């Protein structure tokens, strides 16, 4: 699906709902500046939730290669945007992923695609972290996987406690990363900004 030209079923119905929402908020949906807003929002929401239409496991298996490399592979600083399922406000930040191959590797861009798929759904950061880890573990069957997500949540910045500078960090790991030394190596490498 090309998110800029192809949209899913239900676009017109979603548009009608957004037109109603604008009216319920106290605005005139027939006002010139708002006439096309319901369709724009409906299209944007379909783009922001396109992950429901994608199979993250297939993305990894489409670029699976036999390789005897057995040291840590890290893809860090993967930018992401998602929508908090509690308020449907954005949360955004960076994902860092490491895995230790067990006979197979995948294309590096596929790790970033897995992040995109799970982030383009209504989410909570904790579940997204777990889903990324489980997808890589189940599909590649590596010796270990670790995922760290660092994010800012607009639901905390724009409403509620209104804390502008808070960052939420979540992590999940399995296999070789159960060893504190291996986890620490990963953490050292993702916080080292030198290339």
């Amino acid at each position: 699906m090309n998110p800029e030209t192809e949209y899913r079923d239900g676009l017109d119905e979603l548009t009608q709902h957004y037109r109603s929402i604008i009216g319920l908020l106290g605005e005139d949906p027939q006002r010139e500046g708002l006439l096309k807003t319901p369709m724009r929002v409906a299209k944007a929401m379909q783009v922001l939730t396109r992950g429901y239409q994608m199979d993250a496991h297939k993305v990894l298996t489409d670029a699976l290669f036999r390789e005897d490399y057995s040291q840590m592979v890290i893809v860090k600083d993967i930018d992401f945007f998602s929508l908090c399922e509690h308020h449907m406000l954005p949360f955004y930040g960076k994902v860092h992923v490491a895995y230790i191959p067990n006979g197979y590797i995948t294309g590096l861009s596929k790790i970033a695609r897995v992040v995109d798929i799970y982030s383009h759904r209504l989410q909570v950061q904790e579940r997204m972290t777990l889903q990324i880890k489980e997808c890589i573990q189940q599909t590649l069957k590596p010796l270990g996987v670790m995922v760290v997500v660092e994010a800012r949540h607009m639901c905390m910045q724009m409403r509620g406690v209104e804390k502008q500078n808070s960052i939420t960090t979540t992590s999940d790991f399995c296999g070789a990363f159960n060893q504190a030394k291996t986890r620490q190596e990963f953490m050292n490498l993702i916080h080292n900004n030198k290339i």
Side-chain angles (χ1 to χ4, degrees):
M1 175 175 125
N2 179 339
E4 297 304 317
T5 58
E6 299 172 29
Y7 297 95
R8 303 190 302 269
D9 290 341
L11 184 64
D12 291 336
E13 188 176 355
L14 203 52
T15 300
Q16 292 303 321
H17 285 294
Y18 279 114
R19 186 169 285 111
S20 297
I21 289 168
I22 289 170
L24 290 169
L25 292 174
E27 258 292 359
D28 175 8
Q30 298 305 314
R31 184 165 61 79
E32 182 183 8
L34 292 173
L35 278 175
K36 295 182 180 178
T37 298
M39 178 60 82
R40 288 187 194 109
V41 176
K43 287 179 176 180
M45 289 304 290
Q46 284 202 351
V47 169
L48 294 172
T49 60
R50 69 182 181 259
Y52 290 117
Q53 309 303 119
M54 299 177 182
D55 182 347
H57 296 276
K58 185 175 185 321
V59 164
L60 290 178
T61 57
D62 282 352
L64 196 61
F65 307 103
R66 177 94 182 125
E67 191 62 54
D68 289 330
Y69 185 79
S70 60
Q71 299 301 313
M72 200 179 298
V73 176
I74 299 173
V75 183
K76 70 177 192 172
D77 295 332
I78 303 168
D79 292 317
F80 81 93
F81 297 88
S82 192
L83 289 176
C84 152
E85 70 180 32
H86 299 141
H87 302 99
M88 291 179 68
L89 289 171
F91 68 98
Y92 61 95
K94 296 195 180 292
V95 177
H96 315 287
V97 177
Y99 74 97
I100 300 173
N102 187 17
Y104 289 93
I105 60 170
T106 190
L108 298 176
S109 68
K110 305 309 179 189
I111 300 293
R113 286 192 186 278
V114 168
V115 171
D116 280 348
I117 289 169
Y118 288 115
S119 65
H120 281 84
R121 299 177 180 187
L122 298 181
Q123 275 292 10
V124 294
Q125 183 174 333
E126 297 87 344
R127 182 190 317 118
M128 186 180 85
T129 305
L130 174 66
Q131 288 174 329
I132 294 166
K133 186 221 47 175
E134 286 184 342
C135 177
I136 294 167
Q137 179 62 36
Q138 292 167 4
T139 309
L140 299 182
K141 298 182 180 13
L143 299 174
V145 180
M146 185 164 177
V147 176
V148 173
V149 179
E150 300 170 310
R152 294 183 182 273
H153 291 250
M154 297 307 285
C155 58
M156 282 185 64
Q157 294 178 332
M158 295 175 66
R159 54 157 303 282
V161 296
E162 297 183 8
K163 298 302 177 205
Q164 305 306 310
N165 298 309
S166 64
I167 296 174
T168 302
T169 302
T170 52
S171 67
D172 201 353
F173 52 86
C174 62
F177 289 95
N178 285 316
Q179 298 174 34
K181 182 179 175 185
T182 308
R183 284 196 310 276
Q184 189 57 53
E185 179 185 351
F186 173 55
M187 296 304 289
N188 290 342
L189 288 168
I190 66 172
H191 290 111
N192 177 356
N193 291 324
K194 295 178 183 174
I195 295 180

